[in-house]
């Protein structure tokens, strides 16, 4: 009988550095999910038309615990975006003539678009 | 031709004798030019003729000698003994496959999956041979060429954590070959392959760890093929939704 | 013992076996095909072929030119009816592969590209970068998955043919993962089991190329043909024998001796051609036998470079440039860097001649038939006399296709027209004999000989006696040694007694096969008192058409040396002439 080596369903990602890195990347989505919930809550607070409730929401945002979460989320979003941009040339190769557009150009374009979007958002947020 | 000393810890398993696999250690004085496969061959020829493993071409193209070397899936004929000089090296059969005997793994699963992706040209109408070749520009060739380079060594399956956890997953090599045909200008079989590829155990089990591409000794980059397939599969799904499914 | 009844049994799933199987399945889907191979099809050594496959396709070329190159390249030991059929069918077969998806390299207008090759007067070698055989094999294998009538028996090791009533009716093979024997009962059997380069110590051939099928046929009474013709490829990497394709020279690579001198001009292949402008059938594009012989002479003169892996000369490609090398010879670059630590873009690569191809094999004719009814053979295991005394590079990949298809047609016809009952009791008896043979081999104890030991002595002896240049004395010595080794073979003992993937056993069987064939090589060479193509005798330097424009046949005689006989060469339109590779001189 052929021998089947057991695979741990709970610790497999500790076996290999690349697996671990991948799992960290996947974990970042937890924070992004939390942030999405936060946004939903904010929208709910505005939509409720209850000024006091909205005020409470804003106060929560500036509480130290929340600030930590927001900072962590910001860092994590950067990490996630950079990791993703790095691999976009694999998912979306562009062929011009015979040659493929170098990966750096495709990843670079993503950064440019990211910055542009951020500027637009900041503009509407009244930063400029 | 100075010698490189290697301590090989080889996983042994004979289903007729052993309950489970165990390691056996061999000391090998290697010549500097040797690959790890040469060291294993030395063991087989001079020390222990009962050791079983597969090998043939010794030029990294037949794909027989994929095995775990120091925990990583590699072709034994393509890694130099110098990389492990004066170290203890663990040699194990490819991960994620059942062990048939010693370093020989059971590969039936891959053979069956490969067949399921229909890795051949599918056309609605064949052009007769007398009409000559299908024209294909160098650019059209280049589009899929990289994905033709797979030698089916299965290092990618051994590297893939998804395959380890979900053995139904079609896996990197089979899917990359599906993509190879989908993107060949001579092929018209995308819609036909779609059924198989769009199943959960098709492209969607891939979580893009990229470990298959890191392991691939021929730089096929199956992870890239899979991500492109995900996009193609999605597009095809929408096309079928609006009744334009046929390529 | 398990019994598998099939219509056509094919032994070997390399280029030849797969092409044969597909041809049967396509034209006769109702016939069952059993495709038996000791390795998974894609591991077959066809995968190692780099340079390409020859076939007339361009308007500046003609079938006659391909015919002439092949006949002259083979030093007129080719059967000309076979060559004519071959050159005719070659383009169709290569186009067929194109239709099946082979990623041939292309010209800018989208048509297939061709590259120059040694001994060919015109560029006519189709190529897929420098992984042509790999792509051909995988295209065929993947295409074969389409056909439900092809049943594969991967990792089944064939042991013996089953003969009854004067015809071949099947084969016995062992399922490698279980050690169980299977009796394949077939209406026709096609052997596609590849070459036997592993008889030599330094070879481009993979571990599986041990001549099993050829030896099976030989033991069953089919003669081998022209076994003394062994091709040395001039450019093998030193430590490993890995091939650097002739495509290197086709693209403009040159050979230099220790002084950097392009020595081929001293051996009838000059005058020197300008760097980067290779001239067909001249200098580096001379045929393989001549180039390998030139190396030997340089070695005698002390013009080679001594290394710890033997003497070498240089293959210099540095003038081709990185872009060209990466586009046309990517594998060559990868191999040189990995296995020799030399980047051909920057430095010349040390090389030496290496055993590459067996021109000889199972005696077959233009129909891929052996003299035994119901038994066919194709590919490197066979000798259809297409390659004569020296194969031209890139003819053999095409040969697999052309004669694979032909064998399929004829095997089908044979299977359909012979409704003769299988002689079950006789077949079972023979299969039982094979089983007993295996059992004895595994269980035997007290032996003192080792497989690796005998193998090393065999390879050394063949190289010394039947290498690039041969003499009566060296050959006689080798004949004696091989005969002695065959006796000592009875004294090997297997330490592995397991039924599961017992590679000790397979190596023993392979060694037995190689020893039998080694004897046909050495005895054939001893008997051929002339020099022709790859068979060069220092004691008989000239070609002798009077006596030896004949094929050598070797018949199995049990433990004794083979009986040597001769067979006429088919000559239709090209009278034996002079092989001229000094094209530039005219
Ligand atoms: C490095 C290299 C480069 C080459 N380059 C070129 C080139 O550029 N152009 C060209 O035309 N030719 C080239 N050749 C020659 C050519 O590749 C071979 O002659 C050809 O591929 C042989 O094909 P085949 O199908 O006969 O055998 P193989 O591909 O060797 O297949 C043999 C098959 O037989 C099976 N088999 C063997 N023994 C047994 C057994 N006992 N039981 C069951 N199955 C068995 C094996 O499993 C395998 O499937 C090259 C050869 C080498 C070695």
């Amino acid at each position: 009988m052929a021998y089947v080596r057991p695979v741990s369903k709970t610790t497999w990602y500790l076996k290999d550095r690349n697996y671990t890195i991948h799992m960290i990347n996947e974990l970042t989505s937890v924070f992004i999910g939390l942030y999405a919930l936060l946004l939903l809550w904010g929208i709910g607070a505005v939509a409720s038309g209850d000024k006091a409730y909205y005020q409470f929401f804003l106060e929560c945002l500036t509480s130290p615990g929340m600030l930590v979460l927001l900072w962590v989320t910001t860092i994590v979003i950067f990490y996630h975006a950079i990791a993703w941009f790095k691999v976009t040339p694999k998912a979306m190769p562009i062929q011009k003539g015979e040659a493929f557009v170098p990966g750096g150009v495709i990843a670079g374009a993503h950064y440019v678009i990211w910055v542009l979007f951020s500027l637009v958002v900041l503009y509407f947020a009244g930063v400029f | 031709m100075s010698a490189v000393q290697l301590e090989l810890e080889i996983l042994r398993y004979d289903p007729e004798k052993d309950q489970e696999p165990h390691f056996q250690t061999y000391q090998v004085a290697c010549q500097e030019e040797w690959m790890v496969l040469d060291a294993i061959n030395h063991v087989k020829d001079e020390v222990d003729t009962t050791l079983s493993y597969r090998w043939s071409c010794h030029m990294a193209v037949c794909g027989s000698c994929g095995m775990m070397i120091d925990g990583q899936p590699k072709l034994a004929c393509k890694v130099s003994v110098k990389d492990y000089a004066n170290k203890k090296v663990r040699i194990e059969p490819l991960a994620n496959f059942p062990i048939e005997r010693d370093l020989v793994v059971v590969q039936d699963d891959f053979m069956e999956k490969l067949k399921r992706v229909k890795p051949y040209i599918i056309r609605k109408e064949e052009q007769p041979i007398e009409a000559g070749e299908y024209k294909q520009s160098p650019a059209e060739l280049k589009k899929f060429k990289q994905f033709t380079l797979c030698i089916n060594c299965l290092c990618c399956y051994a590297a893939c954590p998804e395959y380890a956890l979900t053995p139904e997953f079609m896996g990197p090599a089979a899917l990359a070959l599906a993509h190879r045909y989908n993107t060949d200008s001579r092929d018209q079989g995308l819609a036909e392959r779609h059924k198989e590829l769009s199943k959960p155990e098709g492209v969607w089990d891939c979580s893009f760890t990229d470990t298959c591409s890191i392991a691939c000794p021929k730089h096929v980059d199956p992870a890239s093929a899979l991500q492109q397939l995900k996009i193609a599969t999605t597009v095809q799904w929408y096309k079928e939704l609006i009744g334009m499914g046929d390529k | 013992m398990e019994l598998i009844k099939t219509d056509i049994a094919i032994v070997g799933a390399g280029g030849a076996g797969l092409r044969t199987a597909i041809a049967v399945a396509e034209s006769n889907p109702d016939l069952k095909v059993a495709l038996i191979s000791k390795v998974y099809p894609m591991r077959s050594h066809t995968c190692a072929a780099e340079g390409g496959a020859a076939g007339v396709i361009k308007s500046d070329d003609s079938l006659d030119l391909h015919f002439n190159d092949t006949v002259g390249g083979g030093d007129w030991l080719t059967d000309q009816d076979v060559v004519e059929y071959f050159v005719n069918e070659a383009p169709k077969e290569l186009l067929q592969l194109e239709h099946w998806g082979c990623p041939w390299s292309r010209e800018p207008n989208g048509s297939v590209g061709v590259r120059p090759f040694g001994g060919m007067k015109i560029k006519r070698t189709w190529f897929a970068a420098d992984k042509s055989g790999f792509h051909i094999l995988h295209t065929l294998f993947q295409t074969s998955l389409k056909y439900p009538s092809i049943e594969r028996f991967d990792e089944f090791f064939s042991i013996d043919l089953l003969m009854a009533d004067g015809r071949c009716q099947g084969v016995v093979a062992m399922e490698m993962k279980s050690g169980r024997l299977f009796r394949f009962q077939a209406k026709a059997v096609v052997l596609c089991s590849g070459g036997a380069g592993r008889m030599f110590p330094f070879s481009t051939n993979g571990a599986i190329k041990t001549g099993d099928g050829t030896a099976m046929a030989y033991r069953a009474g089919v003669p081998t043909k022209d076994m003394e013709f062994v091709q040395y490829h001039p450019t093998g990497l030193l430590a490993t024998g890995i091939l650097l394709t002739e495509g290197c020279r086709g693209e403009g690579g040159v050979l230099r001796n220790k002084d950097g001198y392009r020595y081929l001009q001293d051996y009838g292949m000059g005058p020197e051609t300008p760097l980067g402008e290779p001239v067909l059938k001249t200098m580096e594009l001379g045929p393989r036998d001549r180039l390998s012989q030139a190396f030997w002479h340089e070695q005698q003169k002390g013009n080679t470079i001594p290394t710890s892996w033997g003497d070498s000369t240089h293959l210099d490609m540095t003038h081709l440039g990185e872009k060209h090398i990466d586009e046309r010879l990517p594998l060559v670059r990868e191999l040189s860097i990995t296995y020799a630590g030399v980047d051909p873009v920057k430095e010349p690569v040390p090389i030496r001649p290496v055993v590459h191809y067996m021109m000889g094999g199972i005696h077959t004719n233009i129909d891929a038939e052996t003299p035994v009814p119901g038994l066919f053979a194709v590919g490197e295991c066979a000798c259809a006399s297409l390659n004569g005394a020296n194969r031209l590079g890139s003819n053999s990949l095409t040969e697999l296709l052309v004669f694979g298809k032909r064998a399929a047609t004829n095997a089908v016809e044979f299977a359909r027209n012979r409704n003769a009952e299988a002689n079950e009791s006789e077949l079972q008896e023979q299969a039982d004999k094979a089983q007993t043979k295996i059992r004895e081999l595994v269980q035997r104890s007290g032996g003192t000989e080792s497989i690796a030991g005998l193998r090393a002595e065999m390879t050394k002896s063949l190289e010394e006696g039947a290498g690039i240049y041969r003499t009566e004395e060296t050959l006689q010595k080798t004949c004696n040694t091989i005969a002695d080794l065959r006796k000592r073979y009875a004294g090997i003992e297997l330490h592995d007694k397991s039924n599961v993937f017992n590679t000790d056993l397979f190596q023993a069987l392979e060694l037995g096969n190689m020893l039998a064939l080694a004897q046909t090589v050495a005895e054939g060479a001893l008997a051929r008192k002339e020099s022709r193509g790859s068979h060069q005798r220092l004691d008989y330097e000239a070609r002798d058409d009077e006596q030896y424009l004949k094929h050598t046949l070797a018949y199995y005689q049990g433990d004794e040396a083979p009986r040597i006989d001769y067979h006429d060469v088919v000559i239709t339109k090209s009278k034996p002439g002079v092989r001229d590779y000094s094209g530039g001189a005219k």
Side-chain angles (χ1 to χ4, degrees):
Chain A
M1 268 291 287
Y3 182 85
V4 178
R5 287 161 282 182
V7 177
S8 160
K9 298 256 182 217
T10 46
T11 57
W12 61 268
Y13 52 85
L14 299 175
K15 259 183 57 185
D16 186 288
R17 216 179 71 104
N18 289 317
Y19 295 176
T20 316
I21 292 174
H22 173 73
M23 275 312 255
I24 293 173
N25 215 354
E26 299 288 271
L27 265 183
T28 57
S29 60
V30 171
F31 291 92
I32 291 163
L34 285 177
Y35 185 73
L37 289 179
L38 187 70
L39 263 185
L40 276 181
W41 182 27
I43 293 169
V46 174
S48 73
D50 181 343
K51 275 220 159 123
Y53 182 37
Y54 182 60
Q55 206 51 45
F56 170 68
F57 168 72
L58 288 182
E59 268 163 38
C60 282
L61 278 189
T62 49
S63 74
M66 191 62 91
L67 281 177
V68 170
L69 178 72
L70 287 175
W71 271 113
V72 171
T73 305
T74 311
I75 293 168
V76 149
I77 284 177
F78 268 84
Y79 178 86
H80 193 97
I82 291 167
W84 173 242
F85 288 173
K86 209 173 86 189
V87 294
T88 44
K90 281 180 184 256
M92 293 182 261
I94 299 173
Q95 197 180 11
K96 265 193 83 184
E98 208 176 312
F100 283 94
V101 174
V105 176
I106 295 175
H110 278 79
Y111 281 101
V112 171
I113 294 169
W114 188 20
V115 170
L116 286 179
F117 264 108
S118 302
L119 288 175
V120 171
V121 170
L122 291 176
Y123 173 76
F124 281 113
V127 174
F128 315 115
Chain B
M1 241 204 283
S2 65
V4 176
Q5 197 64 34
L6 224 59
E7 185 172 334
L8 296 180
E9 259 190 352
I10 301 183
L11 197 69
R12 303 296 309 269
Y13 173 68
D14 179 350
E16 293 191 330
K17 286 205 302 244
D18 305 322
Q19 285 293 321
E20 51 182 47
H22 60 275
F23 283 101
Q24 190 166 348
T25 306
Y26 303 93
Q27 306 287 343
V28 187
C30 310
Q31 305 202 351
E32 222 179 81
E33 291 84 352
W34 279 8
M35 299 289 140
V36 170
L37 176 62
D38 298 306
I40 298 174
N41 280 342
H42 177 83
V43 171
K44 171 87 179 165
D45 286 350
E46 309 296 335
V47 186
D48 185 348
T49 59
T50 66
L51 181 64
S52 285
Y53 54 101
R54 297 185 176 108
W55 74 285
S56 177
C57 75
H58 198 298
M59 55 186 281
V61 65
C62 78
S64 305
C65 67
M67 48 186 83
M68 307 303 286
I69 301 179
D70 218 10
Q72 299 298 324
K74 305 234 158 147
L75 293 177
C77 74
K78 212 189 167 195
V79 278
S80 164
V81 291
K82 281 186 282 188
D83 298 353
Y84 305 97
N86 308 318
K87 271 207 287 196
K88 197 186 259 187
V89 201
R90 282 212 154 167
I91 312 278
E92 296 161 273
L94 276 182
N96 304 339
F97 292 96
I99 306 176
E100 197 157 286
R101 161 110 193 248
D102 295 345
L103 301 173
V104 178
V105 295
V106 182
Q107 309 190 349
D108 303 350
D109 185 46
F110 168 73
M111 298 304 277
E112 189 265 329
K113 283 172 176 160
L114 180 64
K115 192 167 173 173
R116 265 168 47 200
V117 304
K118 307 194 173 188
Y120 36 79
I121 296 280
I122 298 173
R123 289 188 65 86
K124 298 197 186 81
E125 218 172 299
E126 277 284 344
Q127 172 178 309
I129 297 293
E130 299 72 48
E133 71 264 57
Y134 293 108
K135 294 281 188 268
Q136 181 169 68
S137 70
E140 286 171 325
L141 172 64
K142 181 125 186 191
K143 186 162 178 210
F144 68 93
K145 184 68 192 285
Q146 180 183 355
F147 304 118
T148 65
L149 300 179
C150 171
I151 61 173
N152 304 174
C153 65
L154 308 187
C155 284
C156 56
Y157 283 76
C160 175
E162 293 298 340
Y163 183 59
L165 295 168
T166 322
E168 299 78 39
F169 177 37
M170 300 282 280
L175 290 167
L177 280 162
H179 185 60
R180 169 251 179 275
Y181 281 96
N182 277 349
T183 43
D184 188 321
S185 59
R186 296 165 288 188
D187 182 79
Q188 301 168 331
L190 185 138
E192 202 175 319
R193 283 182 205 105
H194 176 70
K195 285 184 221 78
E196 205 59 51
L197 304 183
S198 57
K199 288 181 181 163
E201 68 270 25
V203 287
W204 300 112
D205 258 342
C206 166
S207 64
F208 200 1
T209 62
D210 208 24
T211 43
C212 54
S213 293
I214 296 169
C216 178
K218 303 309 279 186
H219 312 295
V220 172
D221 202 352
S224 168
L226 263 92
Q227 308 327 305
Q228 293 177 46
L229 260 188
K230 285 179 187 168
I231 298 174
T233 305
T234 310
V235 171
Q236 178 68 14
W237 187 84
Y238 277 109
K239 275 189 175 170
E240 285 178 9
L241 193 68
I242 58 170
M244 293 173 52
D246 230 348
K247 194 175 151 186
Chain C
M1 191 179 312
E2 200 140 335
L3 171 65
I4 306 271
K5 287 191 180 175
T6 186
D7 292 305
I8 297 184
I10 300 172
V11 178
L18 287 165
R19 182 67 188 95
T20 309
I22 294 174
V24 175
E26 231 188 358
S27 57
N28 294 267
D30 61 314
L31 289 184
K32 281 199 271 183
V33 177
L35 185 57
I36 304 159
S37 172
K38 68 176 173 179
V39 294
Y40 283 97
M42 61 280 186
R43 319 285 184 227
S44 304
H45 207 59
T46 297
C47 72
E50 301 171 12
V56 173
I57 184 82
K58 298 292 175 191
S59 54
D60 61 349
D61 200 359
S62 79
L63 298 177
D64 276 343
L65 288 174
H66 193 187
F67 174 92
N68 290 338
D69 286 344
T70 304
V71 172
D75 219 348
W76 279 270
L77 200 69
T78 50
D79 281 354
Q80 296 182 10
D81 55 341
V82 170
V83 180
E84 191 154 353
Y85 177 75
F86 167 80
V87 298
N88 255 312
E89 295 301 306
K92 292 178 219 162
E93 279 300 314
L94 297 177
L95 280 170
Q96 177 63 74
L97 265 189
E98 195 278 333
H99 284 216
W100 282 335
C102 187
W104 295 120
S105 294
R106 303 282 173 155
E107 288 182 4
N109 70 6
S111 59
V112 293
V114 285
R115 66 159 43 128
F117 238 65
M120 301 276 191
K121 199 181 165 93
I122 301 267
K123 290 192 205 178
R124 67 166 71 91
T125 299
W126 302 39
F127 62 105
D130 55 357
K131 299 176 187 168
S132 309
F134 166 79
H135 287 301
I136 290 175
L137 183 69
H138 281 249
T139 301
L140 286 170
F141 167 57
Q142 288 161 9
T143 301
S144 79
L145 297 175
K146 244 185 351 198
Y147 302 98
S149 62
I150 302 175
E151 188 177 358
R152 283 206 329 272
F153 295 86
D154 295 337
E155 298 197 327
F156 275 66
F157 193 103
S158 298
I159 294 165
D160 273 317
L161 291 174
L162 297 174
M163 311 282 250
D165 306 331
R167 66 192 165 101
C168 182
Q169 303 191 13
V171 48
V172 193
M174 178 181 275
E175 185 183 44
M176 293 166 72
K177 72 172 177 208
S178 67
R180 281 191 309 156
L181 281 193
F182 282 59
R183 171 155 79 83
F184 290 86
Q185 190 174 303
K187 295 181 180 140
V189 175
V190 189
L191 292 173
C192 302
S193 49
R198 281 270 153 184
M199 287 187 290
F200 286 79
F202 187 63
S203 159
T204 63
N205 286 196
I208 61 172
K209 300 200 69 167
T210 50
D212 301 348
T214 314
M216 275 159 53
Y218 175 57
R219 281 196 303 269
V222 182
T224 61
K225 194 198 307 166
D226 292 339
M227 288 295 281
E228 63 272 32
F229 296 96
V230 178
Q231 179 165 78
Y232 277 76
H233 195 293
T235 58
L237 286 183
L238 293 191
T240 53
I242 290 173
L243 174 82
L244 296 189
T245 170
E246 196 156 286
C248 297
R249 284 169 283 125
E251 297 298 336
V254 298
L255 295 181
R256 299 180 189 282
N257 67 13
K258 76 174 200 295
D259 306 314
Y261 175 69
R262 289 175 61 193
Y263 57 90
L264 295 180
Q265 57 192 293
D266 295 351
Y267 304 96
M269 287 172 276
E272 188 173 340
T273 50
L275 213 55
E277 295 169 33
V279 176
L280 288 143
K281 277 183 126 171
T282 312
M283 289 294 286
E284 280 79 9
L285 291 180
R288 292 176 180 175
D289 53 343
R290 290 286 179 81
L291 266 66
S292 297
Q293 288 150 18
F295 174 93
W296 186 90
H297 288 291
E298 286 293 292
Q299 196 174 25
Q300 303 304 307
K301 292 183 195 163
N303 290 339
T304 48
I305 307 147
T307 80
S308 51
W309 295 95
D311 291 339
S312 98
T313 55
H314 278 147
L315 173 60
D316 184 0
M317 291 173 271
T318 51
H319 51 283
L320 299 183
E322 184 163 2
K323 183 166 178 291
H324 192 76
I325 290 181
D326 281 348
E327 195 178 294
R328 296 295 189 96
L329 304 164
L331 182 65
V332 163
R333 187 170 185 197
E334 183 188 316
L335 293 172
S336 306
I337 293 174
T338 310
Y339 296 101
V342 177
D343 184 350
V345 169
K346 300 182 187 127
E347 285 170 87
V349 189
I351 47 96
R352 69 184 172 107
V354 54
V355 167
H356 185 53
Y357 183 87
M358 302 294 301
M359 265 71 75
I362 304 164
H363 177 29
T364 58
N365 62 12
I366 188 170
D367 285 315
E369 292 168 336
T370 70
V372 170
L375 182 64
F376 301 79
V378 184
E380 199 172 336
C381 72
C383 177
S385 294
L386 168 70
N387 302 306
N390 171 60
R391 172 182 73 107
L392 287 194
S394 76
N395 265 353
S396 57
L397 285 172
T398 315
E399 177 183 0
L400 309 177
L401 307 168
V402 170
F403 288 95
K405 183 158 180 211
R406 179 104 183 202
T409 310
N410 293 319
V412 165
E413 195 180 294
F414 188 89
R416 290 237 188 260
N417 296 338
R418 283 293 173 120
N419 282 325
E421 283 294 301
N423 188 339
E424 302 245 2
S425 60
E426 171 66 27
L427 296 178
Q428 187 57 47
E429 199 174 305
Q430 287 186 23
D432 289 342
K433 257 193 215 151
Q435 180 138 39
T436 311
K437 175 173 99 174
I438 299 289
R439 203 169 282 146
E440 273 173 13
L441 185 58
V442 176
Q443 289 171 354
R444 189 192 297 158
S445 64
T448 51
E449 302 288 356
S450 83
I451 297 170
L454 293 188
R455 195 171 52 210
E457 286 187 50
M458 168 190 70
T459 58
K460 180 163 173 273
S461 168
L462 270 190
E463 176 89 358
E464 281 172 3
I468 297 178
Y469 279 98
R470 305 153 170 192
T471 66
E472 178 98 24
E473 194 193 358
T474 61
L475 280 167
Q476 189 58 59
K477 198 166 147 216
T478 298
C479 288
N480 298 345
T481 307
I482 304 285
D484 183 48
L485 290 174
R486 282 192 69 200
K487 288 203 189 86
R488 286 168 57 194
Y489 178 77
I492 53 171
E493 178 185 341
L494 302 190
H495 297 286
D496 193 343
K497 310 286 182 196
S498 174
N499 287 304
V500 182
F501 222 94
N502 186 337
T503 46
D504 208 11
L505 168 63
F506 302 129
Q507 289 196 355
L509 294 171
E510 289 171 342
L511 175 64
N513 291 335
M514 287 192 287
L515 281 171
L517 297 185
Q519 217 169 13
T520 66
V521 173
E523 296 285 348
L526 182 65
R528 187 176 280 277
K529 296 183 166 54
E530 65 156 355
S531 291
R532 183 186 297 272
S534 67
H535 170 71
Q536 292 291 316
R537 299 259 319 229
L538 291 169
D539 40 1
Y540 300 94
E541 286 184 356
R543 193 174 81 192
D544 179 357
D545 288 334
E546 199 78 351
Q547 289 202 62
Y548 290 105
L549 186 55
K550 285 188 195 125
H551 299 299
T552 308
L553 299 182
Y555 289 86
Y556 186 65
Q557 305 292 308
D559 295 338
E560 300 302 310
R563 175 171 66 83
I564 300 291
D565 201 352
Y566 294 94
H567 182 73
D568 284 342
V569 175
V570 178
I571 293 185
T572 55
K573 54 187 185 190
S574 170
K575 295 279 163 272
V578 179
R579 297 170 81 205
D580 181 11
Y581 294 101
S582 57
K586 283 183 252 165

